[in-house]
């Protein structure tokens, strides 16, 4: 299945890139789950242009222990003082697949990021994405970044690598806006390192198979080509 341009006519007039990215994330999660050992699971998370509320708030009614009726409970509230400062912030769009390990408690071990146009829109958005990616790697979390965005320039892989080193060895050419990269953080002989598998992408070309490390030397294959083709089929693009 050749890589298509989901961000320009004619394709973007019939199929929104947000819907496609969400569907592709689901296909990736399904394909990874089929390979994972019992102590791991993968799930997709998509948050475009909004903040996620992680903790739900409950209404002010509780079942009473007496006659089976409903008792109204006044909520306990506290109003903090006005903040002395408010600063501008950037909350990047997220189209990602997260892989968790459950042995010894739930822990995030790997992430696949699908880049969105807003991630590349402005310098502060690009910086936020690079810092987020670097934060995963600093925590020992393996990472794959897939960028098929055609309506924005820039290379977020290079932005991320600059946070670690000025050495250009793992960078991609500046004129390479489409790419897929796998990262494996590892400690060898008491030295922290990041293994990098970069791939240049092109419209009309095929997508690669990338390695995703779970723990130690345990990897699963991430077949971008197969999952992309399945997402296109399910969206009736092919």
């Amino acid at each position: 299945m050749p890589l298509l341009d989901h961000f320009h006519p004619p394709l973007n007039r019939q199929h929104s890139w947000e819907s496609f990215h969400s569907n592709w994330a689901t296909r990736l999660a399904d394909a990874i789950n089929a390979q994972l050992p019992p102590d791991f699971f993968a799930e997709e998370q998509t948050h475009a242009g909004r903040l996620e509320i992680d903790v739900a708030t409950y209404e002010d009614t509780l079942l009473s222990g007496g006659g089976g009726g409903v008792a109204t409970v006044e909520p306990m509230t506290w109003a903090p003082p006005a903040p002395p400062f408010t600063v501008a912030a950037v909350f990047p769009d997220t189209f990602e697949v997260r892989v968790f390990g459950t042995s010894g408690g739930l822990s995030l071990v790997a992430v696949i990021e699908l880049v969105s146009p807003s991630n590349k829109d402005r310098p502060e958005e690009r910086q936020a994405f690079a810092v987020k990616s670097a934060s995963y790697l600093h925590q020992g979390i393996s990472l794959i970044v897939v960028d098929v965005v055609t309506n924005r320039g820039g290379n977020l892989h290079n932005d991320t690598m600059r946070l670690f080193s000025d050495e250009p060895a793992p960078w991609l050419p500046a004129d390479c806006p489409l790419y897929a990269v796998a990262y494996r953080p590892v400690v060898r002989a008491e030295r922290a390192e990041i293994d990098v598998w970069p791939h240049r992408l092109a419209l009309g070309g095929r997508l690669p198979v990338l390695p995703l490390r779970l723990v130690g030397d345990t990897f699963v294959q991430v077949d971008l080509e197969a999952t992309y083709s399945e997402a296109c089929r399910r969206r009736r693009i092919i």
Side-chain angles (χ1 to χ4, degrees):
M1 175 69 197
L3 177 60
L4 304 175
D5 187 347
H6 296 266
F7 303 89
H8 290 97
L11 190 56
N12 71 334
R13 292 174 177 168
Q14 296 179 333
H15 302 276
S16 73
W17 70 264
E18 294 96 336
S19 176
F20 182 80
H21 267 43
S22 177
N23 186 267
W24 193 5
T26 299
R27 306 285 75 79
L28 284 163
D30 290 345
I32 292 170
N33 274 318
Q35 303 176 64
L36 291 178
D39 289 343
F40 297 88
F41 70 91
E43 61 182 19
E44 67 275 22
Q45 298 194 4
T46 62
H47 310 293
R50 65 177 180 84
L51 294 181
E52 176 187 11
I53 300 175
D54 287 319
V55 181
T57 57
Y58 292 91
E59 298 297 330
D60 61 349
T61 57
L62 295 174
L63 289 178
S64 70
V70 177
T72 300
V73 179
E74 290 295 329
M76 297 180 62
T77 61
W78 173 74
F85 305 101
T86 299
V87 299
V90 173
F91 300 101
D93 286 357
T94 297
F95 291 84
E96 67 184 21
V97 176
R98 294 185 174 187
V99 181
F100 296 90
T102 59
S103 179
L106 191 66
S107 60
L108 183 63
V109 298
V111 173
I112 301 173
E113 290 277 1
L114 301 180
V115 175
S116 76
S118 72
N119 296 146
K120 303 169 69 174
D121 191 31
R122 297 173 295 163
E124 53 266 37
E125 295 278 1
R126 296 193 293 270
Q127 179 72 5
F129 187 93
V131 169
K132 177 184 178 182
S133 298
S135 177
Y136 282 139
L137 298 173
H138 273 299
Q139 297 174 67
I141 297 169
S142 298
L143 176 67
I144 288 177
V145 174
V146 183
D147 186 351
V148 297
V149 175
T150 58
N151 60 351
R152 298 289 189 279
N155 190 298
L156 297 176
H157 162 71
N158 291 349
D159 293 341
T160 302
M161 290 295 93
R162 288 189 186 96
L163 297 177
F164 290 94
S165 173
D166 291 330
E167 295 294 328
W171 298 359
L172 288 165
D175 62 350
C176 176
L178 308 183
Y179 51 88
V181 187
Y183 309 86
R184 177 204 186 187
V186 63
V187 177
R188 296 188 178 99
E190 300 183 357
R191 180 178 176 179
E193 297 177 330
I194 300 174
D195 295 334
V196 184
W197 291 265
H199 290 263
R200 299 181 66 170
L201 304 180
L203 293 178
R206 292 179 61 85
L207 297 166
V209 175
L210 292 178
L212 186 65
R213 194 276 305 272
L214 302 179
V215 291
D217 291 324
T218 302
F219 289 81
V220 294
Q221 291 183 336
V222 178
D223 192 334
L224 297 178
E225 175 68 24
T227 54
Y228 176 80
S229 297
E230 179 65 8
C232 286
R233 186 186 69 80
R234 288 178 178 263
R235 283 293 178 266
R236 302 176 69 179
I237 295 175
I238 56 172

